[in-house]
Amino acid sequence: MDSTSLIAQEREQLEVAVADAISLATQLGADQAEVAVSRQTGIAVNTRMTEVENIEFNHDGALGISVYVKGRKGNSSTSDVSPKSIEQAVKAAIEIAKHTSVDEYAGLADPALLERQPQDLDLFHPASLEPDDGLAIAKACEEIALSQDQRIVNSDGASYTSHLGIKVYGNSHDYVQSYLSSRHSLSCMLIGQEQDDMQRDYSYTMARNPADLLSPEAVAKDAVERTVKRLGARKIDTCSCPVLFSSDAAVSLFGHLVNAISGGSLYRKSSFLLDSLGQQVFPQGFSISERPHVLGGLASTPYDSEGVKTQDLEVIADGVLNSYLLTSYSARKLGMTTTGHAGGIHNWFVKTGDDDFTQMLKNLGTGLYVTELMGQGVNAVSGDYSRGAAGFWVENGEILYPVHEITIASNLKDMFKGIVAVGSDVDLRTSLRTGSVLIDNMKIAGN
């Protein structure tokens, strides 16, 4: 039996296991119950200097159950989905619930919000799980990379992964749904040297469908180009200047936004965007849209981790914060309605302008182009931002030289409102799609 048939068979078995666990929980006294199972089958292979470094197979996952007994919640999990293990997990969850505090906000999602007829979002595209096939791809990528430029003196390896997943969710609102997904990736990390200077950089590609991956040649050439460009990096003097974030570095900026407008941060009052709903957070003309149903999208899903139907959402419209990101629990705490974000966001698209990367450098003029961020120096409550960075110094719209060992600092509120432009050079490898982002002014700590 091939992998597709096997995973389809396992999906049916897991759906039965989820339904049985819910039924048992209600029989044993739970007022409500929900069960989630995530199973993954896949392979990860690595080469280093074109030699096999390691091969890993995995077939794992867990069943998690939450029960609600008179306002008290109990959780338990098991990696064994046999009837005996499920029974033990259910009993453990109910026993735990006896010792927890009553929480008036706990409970399942509103049954009217559940997605009972999920559409097929084209998320499942299996590939070969034979190690020789993956090794051939990784080895080819590394061989090409090592032959491109004599300044590439070593490799931190190439990696190819291919995984097939099953997600099943059910609850005592007579609800059980599931879907299959896949994810494949190829990456390569290189070390370059010029005289006494050594630098490291990498490139990667990721997709649901292996046919959508960049070729080993494209990944290798990008990794080489990124690595050799960093050679000769130097520090710069401390200053204040405009900063252009590369499209992949800019993703992290909006990651901070996700955290700030998530329900958990809001009801704990640990967000710098507390009470900002309906307020101007970004410049006029700036928008972020969420599209959960993009076919083959890396973060596409018909429903969230509570079974709530996902929907298109204009998170930011003309610079105004239109929506928080809420689960059922956080929504109740805030006196609102869930937005279907249990488990995270679903395919964000930052509105881009018409300027390509070359024009974005001209828009920057003289300042810093950031390609890498390091450290976690962000205060979620105040929005104060300070992170290590590397990139390039730009003058008159032209890259002069690479820079490293610097720190960039500001406040996220000021950074968001200080966005001057978003480029058309969108990084297509992530579920948060943005082009390069130009911010009017930040402090740079260097020499």
Side-chain angles (χ1 to χ4, degrees), residues 111-399:
L113 300 177
L114 300 179
E115 175 57 274
R116 297 185 182 272
Q117 294 182 315
Q119 59 180 299
D120 182 357
L121 297 178
D122 195 33
L123 305 180
F124 185 62
H125 296 273
S128 169
L129 298 182
E130 292 296 325
D132 287 346
D133 295 333
L135 286 169
I137 295 171
K139 183 177 179 180
C141 183
E142 210 176 10
E143 285 178 340
I144 294 167
L146 291 168
S147 68
Q148 292 291 304
D149 193 301
Q150 62 182 5
R151 290 170 292 181
I152 300 298
V153 297
N154 208 332
S155 169
D156 257 358
S159 174
Y160 174 82
T161 68
S162 180
H163 290 94
L164 310 177
I166 310 170
K167 288 189 176 182
V168 185
Y169 173 80
N171 63 38
S172 51
H173 290 320
D174 191 27
Y175 180 87
V176 176
Q177 293 291 344
S178 67
Y179 63 89
L180 304 179
S181 64
S182 59
R183 189 172 295 243
H184 316 277
S185 70
L186 172 66
S187 63
C188 183
M189 179 172 283
L190 304 172
I191 298 172
Q193 182 173 9
E194 192 170 54
Q195 297 179 355
D196 294 332
D197 183 35
M198 299 184 73
Q199 297 287 341
R200 177 188 286 109
D201 214 322
Y202 72 101
S203 184
Y204 76 97
T205 178
M206 182 180 295
R208 296 280 192 187
N209 189 335
D212 294 332
L213 292 174
L214 296 176
S215 68
E217 292 82 2
V219 174
K221 290 179 180 179
D222 186 47
V224 170
E225 182 178 353
R226 292 171 66 95
T227 303
V228 298
K229 280 184 175 180
R230 296 185 65 160
L231 292 169
R234 63 183 87 167
K235 287 186 178 181
I236 57 175
D237 291 336
T238 296
C239 63
S240 294
C241 65
V243 174
L244 176 65
F245 289 81
S246 67
S247 55
D248 49 348
V251 169
S252 71
L253 294 179
F254 303 115
H256 299 307
L257 171 66
V258 172
N259 182 64
I261 63 174
S262 293
S265 298
L266 295 166
Y267 75 70
R268 294 186 184 95
K269 300 188 182 300
S270 59
S271 168
F272 66 93
L273 290 180
L274 197 65
D275 300 323
S276 293
L277 194 63
Q279 301 298 312
Q280 193 84 32
V281 176
F282 290 87
Q284 290 184 348
F286 181 92
S287 299
I288 298 177
S289 304
E290 182 173 75
R291 298 291 181 263
H293 303 151
V294 174
L295 296 182
L298 287 171
S300 293
T301 179
Y303 51 85
D304 73 357
S305 297
E306 297 178 314
V308 173
K309 182 177 182 179
T310 52
Q311 301 182 54
D312 289 352
L313 180 67
E314 304 308 316
V315 182
I316 305 291
D318 202 23
V320 174
L321 176 60
N322 270 351
S323 176
Y324 291 145
L325 310 176
L326 306 177
T327 64
S328 294
Y329 183 82
S330 62
R332 294 183 189 117
K333 293 277 284 187
L334 296 168
M336 304 175 77
T337 302
T338 176
T339 57
H341 285 95
I345 63 170
H346 323 293
N347 300 320
W348 274 24
F349 294 85
V350 178
K351 181 182 178 181
T352 64
D354 297 326
D355 293 343
D356 61 12
F357 175 64
T358 300
Q359 184 58 50
M360 289 294 286
L361 286 177
K362 292 179 180 177
N363 296 341
L364 172 65
T366 295
L368 180 66
Y369 171 49
V370 170
T371 59
E372 182 180 8
L373 294 164
M374 293 152 277
Q376 303 297 323
V378 179
N379 187 314
V381 179
S382 67
D384 288 341
Y385 182 98
S386 178
R387 298 190 65 183
F392 299 86
W393 184 251
V394 178
E395 290 187 7
N396 299 318
E398 299 289 338
I399 291 177

